């Protein structure tokens, strides 16, 4: 490290934890750490904790402050990307909070803010499951279902800056009102809910054992364990979810003639390759023929997607400014 | 016309007729005419007839050949836009036919070829129902259902050049295999088929009268007449179709965060404003909240969309080349 490096800090700002890392322009991570968000302490507390974790990951990487060029933050909620502010983020209890401006009081680095799903999509697009394509859908299945689009090598935002909301597309016209969107049919929350109701209606499942009868605890890990053990009920419910995920991916690929889709998120990470295979099988049933050679692959960066994506987005924005 | 004008010829190449017109760079039409395609005569015949109608519309507009800068053609089928060739067009009986090259033997004008739906979308985008927006979905409901996307003031093609195929998106997961796509649920063909079956099953409808009992003749005009008369069966079937069109539009607007949608096509033209109102009501039920201020409006160019769009696309391509 004799020569001065050009580095970036990526921040994955969640409702519970703040993840951070020093990221190289090539998408490598030199250090990573996390700290509790303490959103209940208010925005000043959160900002101080972001500043603290930034210092810490710099120290851990042995990086001086003038080697860092910029900071990128992925935040959960609706973001005004141009202003670097959070329009609304329920997990953080924020409404119209000027995140970039507030943080710039603690640092001289330029701060880029984007939605956490866009940031994850950008990470996977640059150095993860989508690194060999120019156009990509990222779909992240966890507590909810989020999506992001990279088109012509850029994040695509759309007119109202809300593009990519695949979780809010409809995949079942005839469901009852509350269960029509993809998120309401195939997120971890929806799957846990469906399992809970079926088990309560006396359908046998190993999940009863795994949760010691406490069905309010059906987390991704439990669903994955039941699935790995070949639990019939869990497999059937996941097959149904895979169908809806497959339809939503197929519709997007058909509309945008996409060559590549990356599937990630907490539930996907927990379920692993057999889940990606199920989604692929369903997707192929529903896609318009010309889209058949579109690749639907697993995310590769896991929990690091947010940190790396945020760091690389800060890098991208900085290079745009200097052009 | 003392000064030399810069004009374009727009061709709307269909399986039955070839429409053509002399188009100004502002999207005005100086002349229009049509001629039978005679696809059964083979590609040489069709090319000769295109050349003939081009001469005719020039004569009718009093335009000399050197005032025409370029020709644009919208053709029904899969198009290789870069080569200007038709990959496959069942209505024309063409497979891998070099349309632009073949036509250039008859004229020195540069020839631009695109899919008829893209061309119609471009016409509506430039000077029709979408002339005040930068991003737009065009959806055309007739014998089939086609769609086109204009994004950031350009036609969006996607990786396999097949973007916009909204008719092939799924809007009803639980339908039987053959009826799952939008086109299979809400095209004029599908609507006529549903009406035919319901009438055959003794549901009363004024359509029996309007077709003099010949139910193989349920054209857009007949559906529109029954709808205008308040026929209950027709209204119910159209409401169902409007729901699926609304869902498909909502999904696209949600994914792409679009500000504007233009609805056109033969069935839409025949049904008029009440149909657009029905589609709007359904669309609003299903769109992700942020998309609510997206406008869903009727096409304004009618049959001229193809001719104007083709002319303006030729104009656009020529200006790109000279940049």
């Amino acid at each position: 490290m004799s020569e001065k490096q050009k580095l970036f800090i990526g921040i994955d700002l969640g409702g519970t934890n703040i993840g951070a890392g020093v990221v190289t322009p090539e998408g490598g991570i030199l250090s990573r750490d996390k700290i509790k968000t303490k959103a209940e302490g208010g925005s000043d507390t959160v900002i101080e904790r972001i500043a603290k974790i930034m210092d810490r990951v710099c120290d851990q990487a042995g990086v001086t402050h003038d080697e860092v060029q910029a900071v990128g933050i992925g935040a959960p909620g609706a973001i005004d990307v141009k202003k670097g502010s959070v329009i609304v983020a329920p997990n953080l209890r924020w409404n119209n909070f000027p995140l970039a401006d507030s943080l710039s009081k603690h640092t001289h680095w330029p701060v880029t803010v984007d939605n956490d799903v866009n940031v994850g999509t950008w990470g996977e697009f640059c150095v993860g499951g989508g690194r060999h394509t120019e156009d990509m859908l990222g779909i992240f299945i966890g507590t909810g279902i989020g999506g992001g689009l990279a088109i012509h090598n850029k994040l695509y935002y759309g007119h109202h800056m809300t593009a990519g909301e695949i979780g809010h597309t409809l995949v079942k016209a005839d469901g009852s009102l509350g269960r029509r969107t993809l998120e309401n049919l195939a997120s971890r929350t929806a799957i846990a809910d469906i399992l809970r109701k079926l088990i309560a209606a006396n359908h046998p499942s190993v999940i009863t054992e795994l949760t010691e009868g406490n069905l309010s605890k059906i987390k991704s890990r439990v669903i994955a364990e039941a699935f790995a053990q070949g639990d019939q009920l869990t497999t059937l419910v996941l097959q149904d979810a895979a169908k809806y995920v497959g339809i939503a991916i197929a519709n997007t690929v058909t509309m945008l003639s996409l060559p590549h889709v990356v599937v990630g998120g907490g539930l996907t990470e927990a379920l692993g390759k057999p889940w990606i295979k199920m989604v692929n099988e369903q997707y192929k049933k529903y896609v318009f023929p010309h889209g058949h050679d579109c690749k639907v692959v697993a995310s590769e960066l896991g929990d690091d997607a947010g940190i790396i994506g945020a760091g690389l987005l800060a890098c991208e924005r900085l290079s745009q400014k200097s052009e």
Side-chain angles (χ1 to χ4, degrees), chain A:
Chain A
M1 286 202 200
S2 57
E3 236 181 272
K4 190 181 148 187
Q5 302 182 92
K6 292 197 171 181
L7 299 169
F8 300 86
I9 294 178
I11 309 270
D12 182 6
L13 175 57
T16 310
N17 293 307
I18 304 168
V22 173
V23 178
T24 70
E26 295 77 32
I29 293 197
L30 301 186
S31 65
R32 67 166 76 67
D33 204 350
K34 66 179 175 180
I35 190 172
K36 291 277 171 212
T37 309
K38 298 198 174 167
E40 68 281 6
S43 55
D44 284 351
T45 303
V46 176
I47 291 294
E48 279 160 25
R49 297 182 74 76
I50 293 174
K52 191 172 174 181
I53 192 81
M54 291 198 303
D55 280 342
R56 212 194 278 168
V57 292
C58 283
D59 288 349
Q60 286 168 4
V63 164
T64 61
H65 274 211
D66 62 347
E67 287 176 306
V68 174
Q69 309 296 305
V71 178
I73 308 182
I79 310 296
D80 185 325
V81 174
K82 278 173 199 157
K83 291 185 186 163
S85 65
V86 174
I87 299 166
V88 58
N91 291 350
L92 297 165
R93 310 173 184 200
W94 285 355
N95 277 294
N96 293 314
F97 178 65
L99 176 53
D101 283 353
S102 302
L103 195 60
S104 67
K105 288 169 195 159
H106 290 258
T107 167
H108 61 284
W109 298 315
V111 179
T112 292
V113 184
D114 209 324
N115 170 270
D116 54 355
V117 177
N118 276 345
V119 159
T121 298
W122 190 245
E124 290 291 342
F125 178 74
C126 292
V127 294
R131 66 187 176 281
H132 299 305
T133 187
E134 292 185 359
D135 307 287
M136 183 194 110
L137 164 69
I139 171 169
F140 299 89
I141 306 164
T143 314
I145 297 185
L149 288 167
I151 304 280
H152 300 335
N153 287 315
K154 289 197 168 141
L155 279 177
Y156 175 82
Y157 292 96
H159 187 76
H160 302 99
M161 307 290 283
T162 61
E165 283 287 6
I166 196 167
H168 293 277
T169 62
L170 266 87
V171 287
K172 192 178 182 183
D174 296 329
S176 65
L177 255 172
R179 305 196 57 76
R180 278 166 163 159
T181 66
L182 178 64
E183 182 163 282
N184 285 335
L185 286 160
S187 63
R188 197 263 301 156
T189 313
I191 290 168
D193 195 43
I194 294 162
L195 284 168
R196 196 176 296 120
K197 282 177 187 160
L198 289 169
I199 293 168
N202 291 320
H203 288 83
S205 166
V206 71
I207 285 180
T208 312
E209 244 172 78
L210 293 172
T211 57
E212 293 169 352
N214 182 352
L215 294 179
S216 66
K217 279 189 186 169
I218 311 184
K219 304 272 177 188
S220 289
R221 193 185 42 75
V222 168
I223 298 169
E225 178 59 32
F227 182 51
Q229 290 187 24
D231 182 62
Q232 207 186 351
L233 190 72
T234 304
T235 305
L236 284 173
V237 170
L238 284 175
Q239 272 168 349
D240 214 40
K243 181 174 91 171
Y244 296 120
V245 172
I247 289 173
I249 292 176
N251 281 352
T252 307
V253 169
T254 298
M255 267 314 283
L256 294 178
S257 185
L258 286 177
H260 209 92
V261 178
V262 171
V263 188
L267 182 66
T268 302
E269 298 290 333
L271 295 172
K273 280 185 183 171
W275 166 248
I276 299 291
K277 191 164 170 264
M278 275 164 73
V279 168
N280 251 293
E281 280 165 5
Q282 294 297 321
Y283 151 77
K284 281 180 183 159
K285 280 189 200 170
Y286 300 110
V287 72
F288 182 60
H290 291 90
H292 260 289
D293 60 349
C294 167
K295 287 190 177 62
V296 179
V297 304
S299 62
E300 293 184 11
L301 306 181
D303 280 349
D304 285 344
I307 295 171
I308 297 174
L312 291 179
L313 201 58
C315 175
E316 160 87 4
R317 293 285 188 274
L318 202 69
S319 71
Q320 279 177 352
K321 271 188 189 163
S322 62
E323 265 168 18

